Amino acid sequence: AVSADASSVLAWDTLAEACLTCGEAEEAGRALHRSIELSPAGAPGRYMYLAQLSDSPAEAVGWFEKGVAGLRAEREALQQASGERSELQAAWAEATCALAVGLCSAAELYLTDLCDEPEAEGRCDALTGEALQLVSDLPAEAVQVVEPFQTRASLKLSQEAYDDAEPLLLRALEVVRRAEEAEEGGGGVEMPSLELRLALAKMLLEVDRHGDALELLQGARVEDDDSAEVRYLLATAALCAGEVDLAREEASGALEWLQSEWAPAEQAEWL
């Protein structure tokens, strides 16, 4: 498509998406840069992708800020939109959640790569606080993302404010459970990624919600039976919850899997 029309933003965006799916980060970055050159005011997601592909945290912050600005503009534009009330409400909720997730993506940098910067804690607090407020203003059933709760909880855990983190993690768990119920009923709610659910399980263990973590990990186990990390976390949660036989079974299964010829080399770290 790009060779047929090098001025097509859609073609460059499609190429970037295909490259990201195939793990070709460098090619994806070039395609995203070209798309932005052609249409700077286009989809904000392009800036968010470039932030993730950036070589330095400082560069990533710049891309995230541009992406968040675009997400804000999209949300604000809906205030002037016309149409069916239910459709506008759904669009508003989606745009609000997208902005909240964008803010959390930026906050993650201050929790990780930029954690030693003097303003890191303050910036993270402001970003996660705004993200949390955005989704808190929506009806609970309209919130289909866990990042605002988990990222804020991660900050609180880093501050050893466990009592503040626990209710946030339970709100994230509610989102996952609603998605599970919708999935069982054939609904169109997207399940939070396995990576996010594993992160949630780890934090639930930190605040001694062992049963909740165990339940969450058992669902993840069904979804990805070949993950040593899932098996290890499940064994840990089971042990913490007093399910010794289950813990032994999962630990044994994890070891057997890791020593098999089918286990990917990158999972060897779990041995």
Side-chain angles (χ1 to χ4, degrees):
V2 170
S3 59
D5 185 1
S7 64
S8 170
V9 174
L10 177 60
W12 285 107
D13 287 348
T14 302
L15 175 61
E17 185 175 347
C19 290
L20 287 168
T21 301
C22 296
E24 298 177 5
E26 191 172 336
E27 289 297 324
R30 280 198 286 266
L32 289 166
H33 277 289
R34 182 56 181 150
S35 173
I36 289 171
E37 288 173 4
L38 292 169
S39 178
R46 300 171 303 168
Y47 294 100
M48 310 306 282
Y49 280 131
L50 281 173
Q52 295 170 20
L53 295 172
S54 295
D55 293 327
S56 72
E59 181 184 3
V61 167
W63 288 121
F64 273 133
E65 288 177 348
K66 290 180 179 179
V68 166
L71 290 168
R72 286 191 197 281
E74 285 190 344
R75 182 171 180 267
E76 290 168 3
L78 288 172
Q79 294 178 330
Q80 310 300 324
S82 58
E84 291 291 331
R85 180 179 177 83
S86 60
E87 293 180 359
L88 289 174
Q89 288 176 331
W92 178 259
E94 184 178 351
T96 299
C97 287
L99 175 56
V101 171
L103 290 166
C104 290
S105 296
E108 282 286 354
L109 277 176
Y110 293 103
L111 280 169
T112 54
D113 296 338
L114 295 175
C115 64
D116 292 329
E117 293 295 316
E119 77 283 4
E121 186 172 353
R123 290 288 298 142
C124 187
D125 182 70
L127 290 164
T128 58
E130 182 182 356
L132 183 61
Q133 187 60 58
L134 284 167
V135 295
S136 296
D137 290 339
L138 295 173
E141 64 274 9
V143 180
Q144 300 177 11
V145 294
V146 296
E147 289 92 333
F149 308 116
Q150 287 187 211
T151 312
R152 183 73 174 177
S154 183
L155 171 63
K156 293 301 178 182
L157 288 173
S158 73
Q159 298 168 333
E160 300 185 358
Y162 300 103
D163 290 342
D164 292 334
E166 183 176 348
L168 293 166
L169 295 172
L170 294 181
R171 289 178 73 180
L173 188 58
E174 288 174 8
V175 175
V176 175
R177 286 173 173 164
R178 283 198 300 271
E180 289 174 341
E181 291 172 3
E183 197 173 67
E184 291 172 1
V189 177
E190 184 177 352
M191 176 70 71
S193 70
L194 181 61
E195 181 182 1
L196 283 169
R197 281 177 281 146
L198 293 184
L200 174 57
K202 292 175 186 177
M203 288 190 281
L204 285 167
L205 288 173
E206 282 194 63
V207 296
D208 296 331
R209 301 291 302 200
H210 306 138
D212 290 324
L214 179 58
E215 179 186 337
L216 187 61
L217 289 162
Q218 285 175 317
R221 171 81 155 75
V222 173
E223 183 176 327
D224 189 353
D225 192 41
D226 293 336
S227 169
E229 181 180 14
V230 171
R231 288 173 179 254
Y232 168 79
L233 288 172
L234 183 51
T236 302
L239 189 61
C240 291
E243 300 284 349
V244 179
D245 290 341
L246 177 59
R248 185 181 296 113
E249 178 184 341
E250 288 299 331
S252 176
L255 184 60
E256 183 179 344
W257 162 249
L258 287 169
Q259 292 176 334
S260 73
E261 60 182 295
W262 300 285
E266 61 268 19
Q267 292 197 20
E269 65 182 276
W270 295 100
L271 272 172

